[in-house]
Amino acid sequence: MTELRTPLRRLPAQRRSAERVQRMLDACAEILDEDGYDGLTTTRIAQRAEVAIGSVYQFFPDKRAVAQALALRNLDRFGERVSRRLAEDDFDHWSDTVGAIIEIFVDMHRTVPGFRVLRFGDVADVNLLDAAADNNSVVADRLRRLIVERFGVADTPELARALAISVEAGDAVLKMAFRRDPDGDPAIVAEAERMIHAYLAHHISDR
């Protein structure tokens, strides 16, 4: 997996500029919640963030780039929360982290502005996070690195494949949960956890 590249035209050099960029991302998130990706424009982002349209284009070439930056922020926040949870909780085995990871994802879906629409970027582009890999693969790669670091498991192609399949399957079932209930149907969320944990347990037992 390649290192993820920033969609910014240039990195903000001063704190004030960095804060302005964050306001643009916050504005993007609010607009996504209100009107979806189709309702997102650079003009609306500028108006909501209370910056000149030139300030938006100073850092971003178009609305896709703003959404990309927001998706990357979502990924970083997700990774930080998972990393903290892995450090704080006493898991018997790395596969037992499934419930905690799903819980974090569901909570972000409920509480993080823009996340329920954008998540990690598929609504804009399935390769939004990395031109060389689909968004779910990027998420799986981030989880793989966290698990290898925390539990010291062998970083094998089999582990990477198992996590890629788990993320893909979990993503599909959790989408179903949120289609049926804006807060995520708890029964379907529970089934997602059961399904992924059973798959990983089977994968582990065969190794």
Side-chain angles (χ1 to χ4, degrees):
M1 188 72 65
T2 58
E3 287 299 315
L4 304 183
R5 296 182 179 178
T6 175
L8 291 167
R9 277 180 158 160
R10 69 179 183 83
L11 294 174
Q14 299 177 340
R15 180 178 176 180
R16 185 172 61 182
S17 296
E19 290 173 347
R20 189 159 62 243
V21 168
Q22 291 305 312
R23 287 209 313 274
M24 294 176 200
L25 299 186
D26 291 341
C28 175
E30 291 172 6
I31 296 166
L32 286 170
D33 275 344
E34 293 169 6
D35 297 309
Y37 186 71
D38 289 341
L40 186 68
T41 66
T42 52
T43 299
R44 291 191 68 189
I45 292 169
Q47 292 171 343
R48 182 67 60 92
E50 298 183 342
V51 299
I53 187 66
S55 291
V56 177
Y57 288 121
Q58 183 180 15
F59 293 101
F60 300 103
D62 50 32
K63 77 170 189 179
R64 181 187 182 279
V66 185
Q68 184 181 9
L70 181 60
L72 287 166
R73 189 173 78 173
N74 287 343
L75 179 64
D76 285 341
R77 290 180 174 178
F78 177 70
E80 288 165 4
R81 290 183 61 174
V82 170
S83 182
R84 251 191 335 268
R85 188 71 175 271
L86 297 187
E88 292 169 356
D89 288 6
D90 186 20
F91 296 100
D92 291 333
H93 192 278
W94 68 264
S95 64
D96 296 328
T97 64
V98 171
I101 292 170
I102 288 177
E103 181 183 322
I104 290 167
F105 179 86
V106 168
D107 183 68
M108 289 184 68
H109 205 291
R110 292 170 177 163
T111 63
V112 175
F115 190 82
R116 66 180 177 84
V117 176
L118 184 65
R119 290 150 57 114
F120 301 116
D122 278 14
V123 70
D125 186 337
V126 294
N127 297 104
L128 191 66
L129 295 174
D130 186 339
D134 63 79
N135 300 325
N136 279 346
S137 294
V138 175
V139 175
D141 185 65
R142 180 69 62 92
L143 291 174
R144 177 187 57 78
R145 284 183 282 164
L146 289 172
I147 287 168
V148 168
E149 179 182 351
R150 167 65 177 81
F151 295 96
V153 299
D155 192 3
T156 63
E158 290 78 16
L159 175 66
R161 183 174 63 244
L163 290 174
I165 291 170
S166 297
V167 168
E168 197 70 35
D171 181 54
V173 177
L174 290 172
K175 280 179 180 175
M176 177 183 176
F178 283 100
R179 278 200 308 270
R180 298 193 175 191
D181 182 334
D183 286 327
D185 185 316
I188 296 177
V189 171
E191 286 301 312
E193 179 182 347
R194 194 189 333 270
M195 175 186 70
I196 296 168
H197 193 276
Y199 164 72
L200 290 175
H202 177 74
H203 169 78
I204 294 160
S205 66
D206 285 348
R207 290 183 61 186

